[in-house]
Amino acid sequence: MSNSSSITQFLLLAFTDKRELQLLHFWLFLGIYLAAVLGNGLIITAIACDHHLHTPMYFFLLNLSLLDVGSISTTIPKAMANTLWDTRAISHVGCAAQVFLFALFVGAEISLLTIMSYDRYVAICKPLHYETLLGSTACVHMAAAAWGTGFLNALLHTANTFSLPRCQRNALNQFFCEIPQILKLSCSDSYLKEVGLLVITAFCGFGCFVFILVTYLQILRAVLRIPSEQGRHKAFSTCLPHLAVFSLFISTAMFAHLKPPSISSSSLDLSVAVLYSVLPPAMNPFIYSIRNHELKHTL
């Protein structure tokens, strides 16, 4: 048995051993990454520069774009570099940084998406109380709470994961440092403590999902009472994409972290990881801006 401090690097999973397919994966990931960074960057710039967009909804959307840029920049660039240079190595410090930053951005994003559903609920169901419940100070406090939740989540998971004793094995069955794959390298039962923390985190995430679902059911009831068809269409186009992205994100993330080892395989792990770590940050800019006339006008 060897302590984790004796492991100086980890080996990430390669998508393929064929050089032509490696280059294809590189260009595919590069396109997705540039689309995500460009889309989120345009949203951040538009909201920051146009004072007409300085409202709670766009303030939370700006924070969401920052989190999306952070999360996809934590995993994709290293995977692209390894693919381009035909290597699998990532340093122990680099792996710990990936775990911390990804847990930070993902934890904060789950909290922020929950806050955004509350924002939509108040805007549609309690419009007369909107400025009272979601004033500038309240919005700043909510956003700070989301980032603080992500930081605490990241600190706990990183400290627990990298304090576990590990054997000499250092090969991870994933294209980035994912906590379940690191736990598989542990050669003692102490990893159960981190598994318990993952289960608690998953239940918190599921609780956020239930809150969002109930919130949107209330919004749906209110929207169906709107006499204007244009008003109903606008409300649906705002809320349903939000719910769809969060459902994809939380379901695949929970599956990746809680699935039993008996159904684990390289291709399945890679596919699920791409669904929750790559697609949402790339899709969010288009989902939140494609039908938003104010944001499109500013852009």
Side-chain angles (χ1 to χ4, degrees), residues 37-229:
V37 172
L38 179 61
N40 284 293
L42 286 174
I43 290 176
I44 293 169
T45 305
I47 295 174
C49 295
D50 190 348
H51 70 277
H52 293 103
L53 300 181
H54 292 177
T55 63
M57 183 180 76
Y58 293 108
F59 172 72
F60 293 136
L61 184 56
L62 182 146
N63 278 271
L64 179 65
S65 294
L66 288 173
L67 291 170
D68 283 336
V69 171
S71 64
I72 200 168
S73 297
T74 301
T75 58
I76 293 298
K78 180 59 179 176
M80 289 193 301
N82 282 3
T83 300
L84 184 62
W85 300 112
D86 194 18
T87 181
R88 298 173 55 195
I90 182 172
S91 67
H92 188 275
V93 174
C95 189
Q98 266 197 348
V99 169
F100 178 82
L101 291 174
F102 190 70
L104 165 64
F105 294 128
V106 168
E109 184 159 336
I110 292 175
S111 300
L112 187 67
L113 288 171
T114 307
I115 293 170
M116 290 175 70
S117 71
Y118 175 72
D119 168 70
R120 292 299 83 210
Y121 167 76
V122 176
I124 295 175
C125 300
K126 299 181 181 295
L128 298 180
H129 301 281
Y130 189 77
E131 292 189 5
T132 303
L133 296 175
L134 288 162
S136 56
T137 302
C139 289
V140 171
H141 288 166
M142 288 179 180
W147 283 88
T149 300
F151 179 81
L152 180 61
N153 174 69
L155 193 63
L156 290 174
H157 281 296
T158 306
N160 269 304
T161 302
F162 286 90
S163 65
L164 299 175
R166 284 186 288 276
C167 302
Q168 294 295 341
R169 296 175 300 158
N170 65 341
L172 300 176
N173 195 35
Q174 191 54 271
F175 72 93
F176 68 98
C177 288
E178 189 183 46
I179 292 177
Q181 302 300 330
I182 299 175
L183 295 181
K184 291 180 180 180
L185 305 181
S186 177
C187 36
S188 75
D189 291 335
S190 55
Y191 74 92
L192 293 175
K193 181 175 62 173
E194 173 60 19
V195 171
L197 186 58
L198 283 175
V199 171
I200 293 173
T201 303
F203 273 111
C204 291
F206 184 72
C208 291
F209 174 74
V210 171
F211 177 86
I212 291 175
L213 191 60
V214 171
T215 299
Y216 278 114
L217 287 176
Q218 297 296 321
I219 291 174
L220 180 61
R221 291 177 58 188
V223 166
L224 292 176
R225 291 197 296 265
I226 297 177
S228 168
E229 183 178 347

Side-chain angles (χ1 to χ4, degrees), residues 272-283:
V272 172
V274 169
L275 284 176
Y276 82 84
S277 67
V278 177
L279 284 189
M283 290 169 57

Side-chain angles (χ1 to χ4, degrees), residues 124 219 223 226 230-241:
I124 295 175
I219 291 174
V223 166
I226 297 177
Q230 183 180 3
R232 290 198 301 268
H233 175 73
K234 182 177 180 181
F236 276 119
S237 64
T238 301
C239 299
L240 291 183

Side-chain angles (χ1 to χ4, degrees), residues 245-265:
V245 172
F246 187 78
S247 299
L248 172 68
F249 174 68
I250 197 69
S251 61
T252 51
M254 288 181 65
F255 179 78
H257 288 78
L258 299 180
K259 69 180 186 300
S262 58
I263 62 172
S264 180
S265 67

